[in-house]
């Protein structure tokens, strides 16, 4: 089954063609990062307009690269939630038009489910159940993936996502948006114990996280040093921040593995590209004899292939939509309105 998959929830317009949920025939991305960089973050109105400009030619490109004609597409999958509402709407409307014109089913896909499914592309033998640590620019949560379309959120951040924490600290350090990758690069080989940063404890659910205190502490440290005319060791600060984020994620992940008894751990989302997090998780997985699945770097950030992968399993579960499908800025992983 060939699925044309559309993703436009933030600042990447992405169209892919995926066969049977596992084989990527094409994966085209038009990134808007260079435009939003000027403003230090995503400008929603600009994002929507750029998606409109990019989506038609990108879909043609995806078909061409896949070597398929329109009539060989069997269904159209699209991110319908969550995301910047104007941006998601562009993808949803394009997908509705494409499904109608082709006379094929329309499959709505939750963006976070797509990130989780990115693992199916890199690890063809991976099947649920497994535990998934989702770490992206807008979301940080531990998900028990019971089946391809049945999942439970075990815990998550109470405030900022891990990516948000990295990006804001990177911005204050003068790194261009989105600074997570630059901060990661800067931290390599530096001393992660140089700066002592807070590790937040959250009352209630022991699997919940909080990153706003860490973000504020690092930013205050930078500002205070600036006011006193003191220099800071930027690579060591980046390494200390990465270690603090990674430690927090690791402790909750180990607890969740313990609670669920799962022996397979997958990681998903843009922050899954972080070298410290990858190293820490790999070391612990080896120590505990767990199977660890990390998506290839190109499938960590937003892409269309992950929507095609999840779209296939949504289709098999009968989760299709008619042309009244709407876009949602927020929606839970199990489809409830928030
Ligand atoms: O999953 P994603 O592409 O978008 C969302 O759905 O949010 O994640 C983007 C996030 C950004 O915050 C970006 O800075 C972060 O992933 N990121 C990283 C790294 N590469 C991307 N954060 C830390 N280390 C990295 N190597
Ligand atoms: Zn994403």
């Amino acid at each position: 089954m060939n699925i044309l998959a559309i993703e436009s929830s933030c600042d990447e317009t992405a169209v892919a063609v995926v066969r049977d949920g596992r084989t990527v025939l094409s994966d085209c991305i038009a990134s808007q990062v260079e435009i939003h960089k000027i403003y230090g973050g995503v400008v929603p109105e600009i994002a929507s307009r750029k998606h409109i400009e990019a989506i038609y030619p990108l879909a043609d490109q995806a078909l061409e690269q896949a070597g398929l004609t329109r009539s060989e597409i069997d269904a159209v999958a699209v991110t319908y939630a969550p995301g910047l509402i104007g941006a998601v709407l562009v993808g949803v409307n394009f997908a509705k038009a494409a499904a109608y014109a082709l006379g094929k089913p329309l499959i709505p896909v939750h963006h976070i489910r797509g990130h989780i499914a990115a693992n199916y592309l890199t690890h063809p033998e991976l099947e649920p159940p497994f535990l998934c640590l989702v770490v992206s620019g807008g979301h940080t949560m531990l998900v028990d993936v019971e089946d391809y379309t049945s999942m439970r959120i075990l815990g998550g951040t109470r405030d900022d996502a891990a990516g948000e924490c990295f990006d804001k600290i990177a911005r204050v350090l003068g790194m261009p948006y989105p600074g997570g990758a630059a901060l990661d690069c800067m931290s390599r080989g530096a001393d992660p114990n140089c700066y002592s940063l807070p590790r937040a404890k959250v009352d209630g659910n022991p699997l919940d996280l909080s990153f706003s205190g860490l973000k504020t502490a690092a930013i205050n440290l930078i500002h205070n040093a600036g006011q006193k005319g003191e220099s800071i060791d930027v690579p060591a600060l980046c390494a200390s921040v990465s270690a603090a984020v990674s430690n927090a994620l690791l402790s909750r992940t180990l607890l969740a593995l313990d609670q669920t008894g799962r022996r397979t751990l997958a990681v998903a989302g843009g922050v899954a590209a972080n070298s410290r997090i990858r190293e820490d998780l790999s070391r612990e997985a080896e120590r505990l004899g767990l199977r660890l699945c990390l998506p290839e770097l190109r499938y960590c950030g937003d892409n269309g292939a992950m929507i095609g992968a999840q779209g296939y399993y949504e289709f098999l579960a009968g989760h299709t939509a008619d042309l009244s499908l709407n876009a949602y800025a927020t929606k839970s992983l199990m489809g409830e309105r928030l």
Side-chain angles (χ1 to χ4, degrees), residues 12-310:
E12 329 268 6
T13 319
V15 185
V17 179
V18 180
R19 180 167 290 162
D20 298 336
R22 300 273 178 166
T23 307
V24 181
L25 302 185
S26 64
D27 185 26
C28 301
I29 300 184
S31 175
Q32 303 176 5
V33 163
E34 291 305 317
I35 301 155
H36 298 295
K37 226 177 218 175
I38 304 165
Y39 307 95
V42 179
V43 182
E45 176 65 20
I46 295 176
S48 309
R49 287 167 187 266
K50 291 291 161 191
H51 284 311
I52 293 172
E53 287 170 18
I55 201 158
Y56 276 85
L58 206 65
D60 279 339
Q61 193 186 326
L63 279 174
E64 199 186 314
Q65 280 185 16
L68 298 179
T69 60
R70 292 179 186 186
S71 61
E72 290 171 295
I73 292 297
D74 300 305
V76 181
V78 63
T79 300
Y80 79 111
L84 301 170
I85 190 62
V88 188
L89 265 170
V90 175
V92 166
N93 281 319
F94 179 85
K96 286 205 277 194
Y100 179 68
L102 298 171
K104 300 292 172 173
L106 175 65
I107 311 166
V109 176
H110 190 283
H111 182 75
I112 300 297
R113 289 186 182 211
H115 273 301
I116 295 170
N119 281 285
Y120 303 139
L121 301 171
T122 305
H123 305 280
E125 69 301 336
L126 176 67
E127 286 179 9
F130 56 88
L131 182 76
C132 189
L133 170 64
V134 179
V135 269
S136 75
H139 304 269
T140 301
M141 57 179 84
L142 278 157
V143 181
D144 190 28
V145 183
E146 295 161 336
D147 201 345
Y148 287 105
T149 57
S150 165
M151 2 199 134
R152 230 162 23 101
I153 297 175
L154 304 174
T157 184
R158 297 268 182 95
D159 38 59
D160 294 333
E164 155 96 7
C165 177
F166 279 128
D167 291 348
K168 289 284 153 60
I169 295 169
R171 184 159 87 180
V172 178
L173 287 170
M175 296 169 185
Y177 167 85
L183 186 150
D184 183 15
C185 225
M186 182 68 82
S187 70
R188 302 223 174 115
D191 177 12
N193 302 312
C194 181
Y195 293 98
S196 102
L197 294 165
R199 309 280 202 269
K201 278 213 188 91
V202 182
D203 282 342
N205 183 355
L207 294 178
D208 278 352
L209 296 128
S210 162
F211 290 112
S212 68
L214 168 64
K215 179 185 76 177
T216 308
I219 291 173
N220 285 346
L221 194 148
I222 300 161
H223 285 154
N224 287 342
Q227 281 161 1
K228 290 183 196 155
E230 293 169 5
S231 63
I232 50 168
D233 181 340
V234 175
L237 180 60
C238 292
S240 304
V241 168
S242 299
V245 171
S246 185
N247 286 349
L249 295 172
L250 191 64
S251 67
R252 304 322 191 271
T253 304
L254 294 180
L255 193 58
L257 285 164
D258 215 38
Q259 281 187 8
T260 56
R262 299 280 184 231
R263 304 293 298 158
T264 301
L265 171 65
V267 192
V271 182
N274 183 269
S275 58
R276 171 77 199 227
I277 295 171
R278 291 174 92 94
E279 272 164 33
D280 285 351
L281 290 172
S282 301
R283 188 193 59 242
E284 287 302 303
E286 201 175 318
R287 186 177 68 83
L288 297 167
L290 301 167
R291 176 163 169 233
L292 175 66
C293 295
L294 294 163
E296 266 170 80
L297 290 184
R298 67 189 168 128
Y299 296 135
C300 287
D302 292 345
N303 64 85
M306 68 185 198
I307 302 304
Q310 183 60 25

